Structure formats: structure tokens, C-alpha cells
Amino acid sequence: MTGPTAQKAGRTKAEKEILFDRELEDLPPDLRWREWMLRIEAVIFAAAEPVTRETLSRIVGSNCSIDLLIDDLKEDLHGRPYEIVAVAGGWQHRTRLRYTDVIRASAAPTRGGGALLSEFEAMVLMAVGYFQPVTRSELSKIFGKEVSRDTIGALRNAGFIGSGPRSPTPGAPYTYVTTKQFLSAFGLQTLRDLPDIEALEDAGLLSRKEMLDETLPAPADDGEE
């Protein structure tokens, strides 16, 4: 695109950038900082999913420390029933855990409520979290009974798991991995934040003998999905 049309498009883009003032150089430093804090809080509050650093960098000064802004916001919210937490590679507003029973007792509809899982579905999800990428047959071996397609479907529909790479085993079956929604729903920043397997074994929730069978993949130990 050249000529007057290109020049007009260029001016329009420049005008938009001027209209949204990221730097706020006309404000005193303390008011500028406060405005950046309010911008970040507004975006995090309105967002349907955790807000990334890249997203927040679009609304504050180029040399502004987002981490320090978040720290000041957390301090501002001290004593409030909600807080800003780091989950799934970003930040999100969350009600403090001490008010969970209050919200349940109110029976009020909540935003972004997680899907209700059966006890077995929750156990299968936990196994996927620790041993991803993992196939349905490997999950069945873990639990000593078939993990049905319906169970996998329920976890997929809830947004907690997705398809991973094909397994190198005969037939190249599908594997399953957890998603960012899984991290967000359980308040995890990365998979490294999953509880230690030994702690779960001590609590009687996992069996080392079954979970560490030599035919299974090694437990996930990084922050990738």
C-alpha cells in the first residue's frame, strides 16, 4: 500500500498511540505510579484468564517495573477478601481461601467456576498432571481398571487436559497433557508447583509401586504443558 492511502493509515495508527498515553509524563511521579497500578488492577479484574506480563506491558510506561506494581497492588489489597495471585504464567484476581465456605454457603453464582469432577475423574486428572504425556492405557494400568473414554472426555470438556504427542509405543496412541486452565484452576504457576509425590504417598493418595512402574513415563518435572 503506497501513496495517500498508506500515509493516512500510518497517521491513524500514530494518532491511536498518542491517544493512549502509556508514559503519563505530564503527571507527578507518585500520581503516575498510582495510575499505572489502577490500570493493571482494572485489566486483571476484567480478564477472563490470567493476564500475562506481555499484556500488562502494553498499558504502563516502557521502563516501569510490573513486578513492583503488582507488589504494591497486593499491599493495597491487604485485608480485603480477594487478592492478586500468580497462576498459569500470569496474574489473576482470586477470592482468599478463608472465604471459600462463605461463598459456598451463599449459593451465589460465581465467575469462572471450575467443573465439578467425580472422585475418580479428579484422581485421573492428578495422574495426568504427574505423568504427562500419558496414554489412556497407561492410566488404566495405574488404577488397575479401565479409564474410559467418557472419563477422558469429561476432563477434556472441563478444559483440564488436551492431546499431547503420539506415544512411541505400538499403534502410536494419543497421549494426554494438562492445560493452562488446569494450572489456573488449581492455583499453580507451573507444573513444578505440584505437591511432591512422596507427600501424596504419605497421605495415601498415590502408590509409589503402581505410579513408578517401569512401563510408565517419568513424572513431569518442568513447567511446560
Side-chain angles (χ1 to χ4, degrees), residues 13-30:
K13 181 179 180 181
E15 288 169 356
K16 288 181 179 179
E17 290 177 349
I18 293 173
L19 285 175
F20 185 78
D21 183 5
R22 290 175 50 193
E23 303 299 335
L24 301 176
E25 292 180 349
D26 59 325
L27 294 179
D30 55 339

Side-chain angles (χ1 to χ4, degrees), residues 4 9 27 33 35 42 90 92 125 130 150 153 158 162 191-192 199 220 225:
L27 294 179
W33 189 261
E35 176 61 22
Q92 193 170 44
L125 178 59
Y130 281 103
D150 288 341
L191 292 175
R192 293 189 183 94
E225 290 179 25

